[in-house]
Structure formats: structure tokens, C-alpha cells
Amino acid sequence: RSVGIGRAHAKAILLGEHAVVYGTPALALPIPQLTVTASAGWSSGAGDAQGDLSFTMTGSASRAVVTQASDGLRRLAAAFRARMGVPGRPHLDVILDGAIPPGRGLGSSAANSRAIVLALADLFGRDLSEQTAFDLVQTAENVTHGRASGVDAVTVGASAPLLFHEGRSQELSVGCEGLFIIADSGTAGSTREAVELLREGFGREAAAQGRFLRRAAQLVGEAQQALAEGDPGALGERMSDYHRLLAAAGLSTSRIDTMVEAALGAGSLGAKITGGGLGGCVLALTQPERARQVAGQLHEAGAVQTWVVPLRRLADHA
Ligand code: PMV
């Protein structure tokens, strides 16, 4: 082949972010309508100074043209070569075209990596197991985020809501109706900094880590049950409780807190920050008849973009 193509989509964490880095379970949602496509082909130029890959980013989320691969993507290309037995250091151009805004807790780095891995496998005619694809994406994620739990790497390739626990995932049973509204605060947060902030806090006060992880695991368990039993009210309450837990740990922002309050004020069943934090997105759960008001109030409170993910659409894949 002269061109390889790969695709992946965004993700949102329903509950359990940050605690999942310490081994407790998390619930994650694929966002099928926010995708990225990678096209990999032989470079017509000399490639960048360090060989391997040069990049062009296109699409609405990334207007800039980037000609150097990040450290994570460079490592990904090297790992792919080593693992899949590609000889030499081929000069490749990779074009990433997508609309997943970076730094918003939507898994853009994992989705970009997965799309690239699949494009390279397609270009070199290699069959990839899911495990190998996951391992390669994790190679890049660990460089980008410091220490990544793996929840992003799995969910950007999943078609149904997942329970992720210690590197393993299983599809969740979904008995609920409802809509998730994802609202972008317009401000990027660094997952690496957020993970580090929490670790420093735990280092200063040993008991805080145990308290945080116990509460997180309890809320995740209760939310999983509410989701399975079709109790969106209980699910929403656990989401708002989890937001309070993350906010108390210093991982929210005043704009995000305002957006969460606005969603709840408009009749949302629950709302929280999602992903790494220190910026990024709010995830709100609502009944369809309140969706217009909730989205409207989120925009009033500063959201620059909103997306709707119906639970039914996700459940139909499960
Ligand atoms: O911000 P995102 O989309 O990279 O989500 C990160 C989720 C964390 O739990 C904060 C980190 C991780 O590795 O699980």
C-alpha cells in the first residue's frame, strides 16, 4: 500500500478519573461522533531531523500545521518499528485530521496515537491484536502523561461504555435512558500537571490518599449499579458527588464550577468535570426534555462548544 488509514474517537470519563491511576475502577464512555483519522504515507521530503515521522495536523480542532512529531508520537513510531519488525527508519508523513480538542479530558492524545498505530499497521500490511494496539498507544501515553492508567487507550477504540480496572476492561450493562451533554470550557488543562498535583497532595498528607480512593471506589460502584438498574437520578447524584471530590482535591477551575452549577440549575440530573481537570470539559446528565435548557445554561456559563451523547446510542452497541 502507498497510504495507510486509521481511525479513533474521543472518550469521556463518567466516573473514577485520577483514582484509576492508583488502581481503583473507572467508568468510561466512547464519544463516537468526535473522531480523528490518520493517513500515513511515504514522505516526499527528507523527513524531520531525527528520522521516522513528520506530521501535518488538519481539521477544525487543530488549525496549526505541525511538522515535528511530539516526544510521545516519536516514541510510538519507534515502538511500532521494533514491535512489528519494520526494518530501517522509514521517513513517513502522517496527516491527522480530526475535531477532538486537545487538553480537554477527551482523550485526544490517545485517539491520535491509536489512529496513527492503525494507519501504520495498514500501511505496512500488519495485523494488530487489540492488546498490541493498546500497548503501543500506552507507550505514547506514558511519555505524554507521565503515568497513564490506560483507560484512555482502551476507550478511544471501544464502541460501548466500559468498566476499566487495573488494565482490564469490560462492557458495562446500561439500563438507563438519558443524554450526556459534554461542554467545553474553552480552557486546556494539563493531565500530567493534574496527576502530579494530586500525588504531591497525597505525599503531604498520607491519610488523604486512602480517603480519596475509598470515596472514589464507592461512588464508582454505586454509579455502575445505577447505570445497570436504570436509575438516572442516582447516577446523576454520584456524578455531582464525584465532582465535589475532584474539586476538593484542587482539580477543578472556577469556570468549570460555574458550568457545573449552571447545568444543575437548569435541571440536569448531575454534572462534573471530566478527565484530567485543571480545565477541559463538563459532563452533564439530563433527561431529553431538559437538554435544551441545560445546554443553553452551559453556554451562558462560558461553554464554547457542546456535544450530545445519548446513552441509548452507546447502549445499542453494548
Ligand atoms: O485528561 P485525559 O483525557 O487524558 O484523562 C485522564 C484520566 C486520568 O485518570 C486523570 C489519568 C489516567 O491516566 O487515567
Side-chain angles (χ1 to χ4, degrees):
R1 279 188 209 283
S2 56
V3 178
I5 305 285
R7 278 190 197 85
H9 51 68
K11 70 98 222 306
I13 297 187
L14 174 54
L15 238 76
E17 55 270 80
H18 283 288
V20 68
V21 173
Y22 296 81
T24 61
L27 311 180
L29 309 167
I31 309 177
Q33 68 264 54
L34 266 181
T35 63
V36 58
T37 301
S39 318
W42 303 104
S43 177
S44 49
D48 66 38
Q50 295 174 51
D52 290 338
L53 286 173
S54 65
F55 276 79
T56 309
M57 315 269 279
T58 62
S60 53
S62 43
R63 274 166 223 108
V65 171
V66 178
T67 52
Q68 290 254 311
S70 66
D71 288 347
L73 295 183
R74 206 181 285 291
R75 189 76 68 82
L76 174 80
F80 183 92
R81 256 199 348 263
R83 183 122 180 200
M84 303 308 288
V86 175
R89 293 168 74 87
H91 289 298
L92 301 174
D93 280 330
V94 175
I95 298 174
L96 278 171
D97 189 5
I100 309 176
R104 306 302 209 276
L106 298 179
S108 69
S109 61
N112 287 349
S113 295
R114 182 175 167 91
I116 291 168
V117 163
L118 297 182
L120 294 178
D122 190 33
L123 179 69
F124 291 106
R126 299 290 202 278
D127 279 334
L128 272 188
S129 68
E130 267 309 314
Q131 183 64 46
T132 304
F134 171 83
D135 291 346
L136 289 167
V137 173
Q138 271 299 88
T139 304
E141 287 289 279
N142 280 325
V143 173
T144 310
H145 291 322
R147 175 179 163 199
S149 66
V151 64
D152 285 18
V154 174
T155 315
V156 296
S159 54
L162 295 179
L163 172 75
F164 179 89
H165 192 197
E166 293 185 330
R168 293 179 179 277
S169 59
Q170 73 187 62
E171 290 188 1
L172 281 168
S173 137
V174 179
C176 275
E177 298 271 342
L179 300 177
F180 287 113
I181 297 182
I182 299 165
D184 181 359
S185 70
T187 313
S190 159
T191 301
R192 176 186 269 274
E193 269 171 39
V195 168
E196 203 41 48
L197 182 78
L198 198 61
R199 184 172 302 283
E200 280 168 15
F202 290 164
R204 280 194 301 274
E205 196 200 339
Q209 177 169 341
R211 274 201 309 273
F212 181 89
L213 296 182
R214 274 193 301 279
R215 179 73 174 142
Q218 178 195 4
L219 292 174
V220 167
E222 290 170 2
Q224 184 184 355
Q225 192 175 349
L227 190 66
E229 290 174 355
D231 188 347
L235 176 60
E237 278 173 30
R238 301 310 178 277
M239 290 170 63
S240 299
D241 288 343
Y242 206 92
H243 179 74
R244 282 188 276 276
L245 183 68
L246 292 175
L251 297 169
S252 187
T253 65
S254 55
R255 158 107 38 117
I256 295 272
D257 287 343
T258 306
M259 286 167 59
V260 164
E261 289 308 318
L264 295 175
S268 163
L269 298 168
K272 65 184 279 288
I273 193 167
T274 184
L278 301 178
C281 290
V282 166
L283 178 72
L285 177 66
T286 175
Q287 298 294 16
E289 57 275 18
R290 303 297 301 175
R292 187 192 292 268
Q293 288 91 325
V294 172
Q297 287 306 308
L298 280 164
H299 280 283
E300 284 283 312
V304 295
Q305 248 186 123
T306 49
W307 301 274
V308 176
V309 184
L311 251 176
R312 170 56 80 66
R313 172 168 177 188
L314 296 175
D316 284 348
H317 287 280

